[in-house]
Amino acid sequence: MFLYRYGAAGRLAAGESPAAARILLSDPFSVPPERWELGRPVDLSAVPLAPPAHPGKIVGIGRNYREHAAELGNPMPPEPLLFLKAPTSLIGHGAAVILPPESERVEYEGEIAVVVGRRLQRASEEEARAGLFGVTCACDVTARDLQRKDATFARGKSFDTFCPLGPAIRLGPPDGPLTVVTRVNGEERQRGSTDEMEWGLVELLVYVSRMMTLLPGDLLLTGTPAGVGPLADGDRIEVEVGGVGILANPVRRWEGA
Ligand code: MG
């Protein structure tokens, strides 16, 4: 089952595919999916999709794949490296990533995103697994030059449009390893699997919940595999998470306003 948000208001719908979606009448975080009340069918091929989560915070993980740490000349950290990305950077499937004039090198980072389903504070592994609402595709777009220049990642990670998310949330914890593939203009640039991660999805929720309480809707970007590279005006990025979906976004240069 997938959870979608659509239209300017970010209305909720659920179903096995965009063509088979129906309006969701229940609160997705207080009612378990098997008891969701569904209304009329809605044709999601005809309306723009919104980011499927509305997080209070986006927690990013740096260097969760050894090969990616090495390609940027960084050592593997002894524990997960956390950063925060502004929720205002979110865009949905199909919306444009805008290259800001303040950066000369904006890069894609295809990632598996975890959506939190319940309050997690110093969670046990069991609590974290139960609190994993679902997974979706994300691109952790990064102004690499500004990230390198600054002592924190805040600026380089948080420009408007720097967090494409979607197209939908696949509900529940994954039942096996997940793959993530990034393509630019149809050409494969990155390929990774949860099997290659230094810290797994549930382990990351446990870890992050020690520092900050995670709330329903919060988003965890779980790190990018090797193969990051620059984006240019006119590019099209695709991030595919196996069994979850394909997130596609065009790239445009900033044209003022
Ligand atoms: Mg990243």
Side-chain angles (χ1 to χ4, degrees), residues 60-63 68 83 85 109-111 139-142 144 157 221-224:
I61 305 296
R63 304 176 210 164
H68 169 62
F83 63 89
K85 196 169 170 92
E109 294 188 359
E111 305 200 10
C139 193
D140 176 20
V141 180
T142 303
R144 195 71 70 203
K157 295 283 189 181
L221 305 183
T222 61
T224 201

Side-chain angles (χ1 to χ4, degrees), residues 33-48:
E34 58 275 14
R35 300 212 330 258
W36 282 358
E37 201 184 326
L38 300 172
R40 64 177 170 82
V42 57
D43 183 1
L44 293 179
S45 57
V47 288

